[in-house]
Amino acid sequence: MRTVDKGSIHPRSQRRMMQVFDGAALGPPPIWLMRQAGRYLPEYREVRAKAGSFLNLCYNPAMAAEVTLQPIRRYGFDAAILFSDILVVPDALGQNVRFVEGEGPRLDPIRDAAGLANLSLRKATTKFDTVAETVQRLRQGLPGETALIGFCGAPWTVATYMVGGQGSSDQAAARGLAYRDPTLFQSLMDLLVDASVDYLGRQARAGADLLQIFDSWAGSLPDDEFETWVVAPTRRIVAQMKAQFPDLPIIGFPRGSGPLAFNYVQETGVDAVGCDTAMPLELIRSSLSGKTVVQGNLDPLLLVAGGDRMRRRIDTLLATLAANPYIFNLGHGIVPETPPEHVAELVRHVRSYGRA
Ligand code: CP3
């Protein structure tokens, strides 16, 4: 008798999430949500409490795999996203990173050449391999029909935290350093390009089906700087990944890029674009839909509100975007106040599309 594992019943190409990258417009479209694992789920808070610190959770493959699987068990999303954080990269490179309860990430800021000289990719590989082990466990533990997304932060967004030492609303520290000392800033970006390629490569070899590059602060730059610090480093990462893994789709998420998103897609070579909450639906329809795979962009706060208002907006998104290759998602991550039953209602409503 032939033994079949879950993977061979559902070869990668049969996962609905992957089919949009072959040009399929699916009704209903595949769905996953940014930050689908997290504090809005009681079972996450339980594991998080056991882990102690947030970074301990990221570096514990059994626990990280468990919290990745929690939203898949509840909602049956078409894709799981590896549980980790974009700030694992600076931590692994040797910068001091900690997460302060109720405040967010704190890092010892990189402000000069001496600070940069303390970081090295050589140091990072052990921690990167720990994350890759989580990916490997997930590939074993996920249902065959569920795609697995690996990710990293884009160099610009990661640099805003590395230079600022914490999150900020205007990314002034990084923008200032990029003007004051572009050579130093370029060296930091070069290191982050190399680290991202190494990190994503390990995730790909461990079994990730596709990747997302989070550029959460792409919207804080004027257009010439956007080209230099958002587009150019992302293009280098995409080119190096495509050279090694030609069939691995890459989603870019240039949050806040507005009308620059079309050039971003064209110039970086990403296979799909994550549209943020503020991206006008008419702009998505006219400049992106049908030209690349579109992902997005329900307001996470409308998911908190739920009800008719949410269902009506979902209907509008589907009516406008689902005739072309489309992945349903939010315009940014799920917030901790989100009632889990609203997520269930969202999934139910999206899945009823095209099945009437
Ligand atoms: O999406 C997922 O479910 C996968 C896991 C994931 C996390 N962070 C878990 C997390 C992913 C993909 C990220 C990406 C990330 N991290 C981004 C890019 C996307 C975005 O939201 O713009 C950024 C900018 C970060 C940096 C970061 N991590 C911040 C600013 C914070 C603090 C804010 C907060 O919500 O507390 C984190 C912490 C973090 N990352 C949490 C989770 C579940 C909460 C920490 C906790 O559980 O104690």
Side-chain angles (χ1 to χ4, degrees):
M1 206 173 70
R2 205 160 60 97
T3 52
V4 283
D5 64 23
K6 290 177 186 168
S8 61
I9 296 170
H10 283 276
R12 183 168 167 268
S13 61
Q14 280 180 25
R15 297 181 183 135
R16 298 177 84 259
M17 178 74 181
M18 306 311 291
Q19 292 169 4
V20 293
F21 296 100
D22 299 324
L26 303 180
I31 174 173
W32 70 282
L33 303 179
M34 290 187 279
R35 287 274 182 101
Q36 63 193 20
R39 283 169 299 193
Y40 76 107
L41 291 177
E43 61 268 33
Y44 170 83
R45 294 196 299 269
E46 209 171 291
V47 177
R48 172 75 178 76
K50 280 198 202 115
S53 80
F54 175 69
L55 280 174
N56 276 353
L57 176 53
C58 293
Y59 292 129
N60 182 317
M63 285 184 170
E66 166 58 23
V67 296
T68 305
L69 292 169
Q70 288 171 345
I72 305 303
R73 289 190 200 112
R74 261 192 196 248
Y75 307 114
F77 290 119
D78 294 285
I81 181 161
L82 162 71
F83 189 86
S84 180
D85 196 85
I86 65 166
L87 300 181
V88 155
V89 168
D91 175 72
L93 289 170
Q95 190 171 11
N96 186 316
V97 179
R98 58 256 171 228
F99 286 83
V100 181
E101 213 61 61
E103 288 183 36
R106 292 290 181 277
L107 304 83
D108 295 349
I110 307 290
R111 295 271 160 83
D112 51 28
L116 182 57
N118 284 330
L119 308 180
S120 89
L121 185 49
R122 209 169 24 82
K123 285 187 199 157
T125 53
T126 309
K127 284 180 170 170
F128 287 176
D129 278 335
T130 305
V131 175
E133 193 188 322
T134 308
V135 173
Q136 225 162 27
R137 281 175 185 248
L138 285 166
R139 194 61 288 166
Q140 304 289 313
L142 276 169
E145 69 271 20
T146 313
L148 178 56
I149 305 173
F151 74 91
C152 70
W156 164 250
T157 287
V158 176
T160 66
Y161 290 94
M162 294 177 79
V163 173
Q166 61 184 75
S168 66
S169 55
D170 58 5
Q171 295 72 55
R175 287 161 60 206
L177 182 65
Y179 286 128
R180 214 165 48 245
D181 193 343
T183 309
L184 175 66
F185 199 75
Q186 184 66 60
S187 304
L188 172 58
M189 297 297 271
D190 291 346
L191 174 64
L192 288 171
V193 167
D194 291 347
S196 303
V197 169
D198 183 290
Y199 185 50
L200 293 176
R202 285 171 208 268
Q203 295 178 38
R205 284 188 293 275
D209 294 307
L210 73 162
L211 303 168
Q212 177 156 318
I213 300 175
F214 287 90
D215 219 340
S216 303
W217 298 117
S220 61
L221 293 172
D223 53 8
D224 53 342
E225 295 283 292
F226 180 89
E227 186 65 33
T228 308
W229 305 124
V230 170
V231 171
T234 304
R235 175 172 52 224
R236 287 165 62 196
I237 294 172
V238 172
Q240 292 184 60
M241 292 307 295
K242 294 285 177 192
Q244 294 179 66
F245 309 96
D247 299 327
L248 200 75
I250 302 176
I251 305 169
F253 180 55
R255 190 166 77 94
S257 58
L260 298 177
F262 178 72
N263 281 353
Y264 169 92
V265 171
Q266 290 249 301
E267 293 175 21
T268 59
V270 293
D271 303 283
V273 61
C275 297
D276 63 85
T277 305
M279 177 87 83
L281 185 52
E282 176 50 25
L283 183 67
I284 300 173
R285 188 197 63 75
S286 63
S287 75
L288 299 169
S289 186
K291 301 183 175 75
T292 186
V293 176
V294 166
Q295 174 176 283
N297 74 339
L298 189 81
D299 189 343
L301 295 185
L302 194 47
L303 178 59
V304 176
D308 265 354
R309 186 88 198 266
M310 174 179 85
R311 285 190 293 270
R312 281 204 306 277
R313 182 66 180 178
I314 294 171
D315 291 340
T316 304
L317 290 175
L318 291 168
T320 311
L321 301 174
N324 286 303
Y326 175 52
I327 300 163
F328 194 94
N329 206 316
L330 303 175
H332 200 190
I334 295 185
V335 298
E337 304 74 52
T338 305
E341 59 278 16
H342 289 188
V343 178
E345 174 57 23
L346 164 71
V347 172
R348 206 164 36 240
H349 197 70
V350 171
R351 292 245 163 102
S352 69
Y353 177 79
R355 295 207 166 129

